[in-house]
Amino acid sequence: ALVMTAVIGGTLAGFNESTEQRKTNINVNSLAINVTDANTGGDVAKDDLGRIIISEPAMPGGRIEVDRTIENAGDYPIYIRVTVNKKWDDRSLSADSIQLDLESAGWITLPSENQEQIILYYTNPVNTVNEERTEGIIELPVTGISFDAGLTNEYANKTFELAVEVDAVQAVQGENAQLAQDAMLSEWGVFPVIDNGVITGIEE
């Protein structure tokens, strides 16, 4: 069985002006980010612990489709980061036996020192969801989970956990674009290279 956990969080980079002195501040606020089922349009069902459960068995050589969307249900355009952690409940088993099918178009993927964590950054600002729902919705970059065809009996009846965390910073452009870079450096520990609002690179 496979357990998929979605943790939703966010950080906003805000811009304040006082009447006496011009200054900028980084403010921490909550963001409205939803993960939904792309087929039904409804929120993904969760268990009592807030986890998304996918019950298909982990068959050698098999593949599980993941069809989820991320919605910016807040009031500001945002830059989105997705952090994916994968592991077996038996920590002696290697996560290398699990391959994630990732969407590369529109995403920057940071190389990982191990096979258990992948971090992706969406390169374009994501607008808020409009009434026609033609904006503010992007696909989760994890589109499928594949299992090594050579899985042995030691993997039988084992549980694999995929934890997906989605968070964001406010996308600020124009003369205040530096605020978004400062927020990413403060909250994510990375410095983005941004050209006309589009992230072209990530420097750690």
Side-chain angles (χ1 to χ4, degrees):
L2 178 139
V3 178
M4 183 175 177
T5 307
V7 182
I8 312 301
T11 301
L12 284 176
F15 178 74
N16 294 335
E17 271 192 60
S18 71
T19 55
E20 298 179 358
Q21 181 180 4
R22 184 182 180 90
K23 60 181 180 180
T24 59
N25 297 319
I26 300 297
N27 298 328
V28 177
N29 303 286
S30 61
L31 289 179
I33 306 173
N34 299 328
V35 176
T36 62
D37 187 309
N39 294 314
T40 66
D43 290 342
V44 176
K46 302 177 180 64
D47 67 1
D48 293 339
L49 298 178
R51 299 178 303 178
I52 299 169
I53 306 297
I54 299 177
S55 59
E56 288 90 343
M59 298 294 293
R63 184 179 188 275
I64 295 174
E65 297 285 341
V66 179
D67 197 3
R68 303 286 187 267
T69 58
I70 303 170
E71 297 185 3
N72 176 9
D75 298 322
Y76 309 95
I78 55 176
Y79 291 111
I80 289 178
R81 178 182 71 166
V82 173
T83 303
V84 182
N85 287 283
K86 57 177 183 173
K87 66 179 181 179
W88 292 98
D89 59 346
D90 183 343
R91 299 296 286 159
S92 67
L93 300 178
S94 172
D96 293 356
S97 57
I98 308 298
Q99 293 88 42
L100 300 182
D101 301 328
L102 301 174
E103 176 61 55
S104 59
W107 294 87
I108 293 176
T109 305
L110 283 191
S112 176
E113 295 181 357
N114 57 59
Q115 296 296 316
E116 295 189 355
Q117 184 180 81
I118 300 171
I119 303 176
L120 305 100
Y121 299 84
Y122 196 64
T123 56
N124 288 293
V126 178
N127 290 324
T128 58
V129 175
N130 60 17
E131 293 182 359
E132 293 78 19
R133 300 182 66 79
T134 57
E135 292 186 356
I137 303 174
I138 63 173
E139 299 291 330
L140 187 75
V142 181
T143 60
I145 305 163
S146 301
F147 299 92
D148 194 320
L151 289 183
T152 60
N153 287 336
E154 64 180 330
Y155 289 88
N157 299 318
K158 302 297 184 182
T159 299
F160 171 76
E161 180 177 287
L162 183 70
V164 180
E165 182 178 355
V166 181
D167 58 353
V169 298
Q170 183 180 336
V172 185
Q173 301 182 33
E175 63 178 11
N176 301 317
Q178 182 64 43
L179 285 175
Q181 293 175 316
D182 292 343
M184 291 185 201
L185 182 61
S186 174
E187 298 300 321
W188 295 343
V190 298
F191 185 83
V193 179
I194 300 177
D195 184 15
N196 291 324
V198 178
I199 300 176
T200 60
I202 297 288
E203 301 174 359
E204 294 186 278

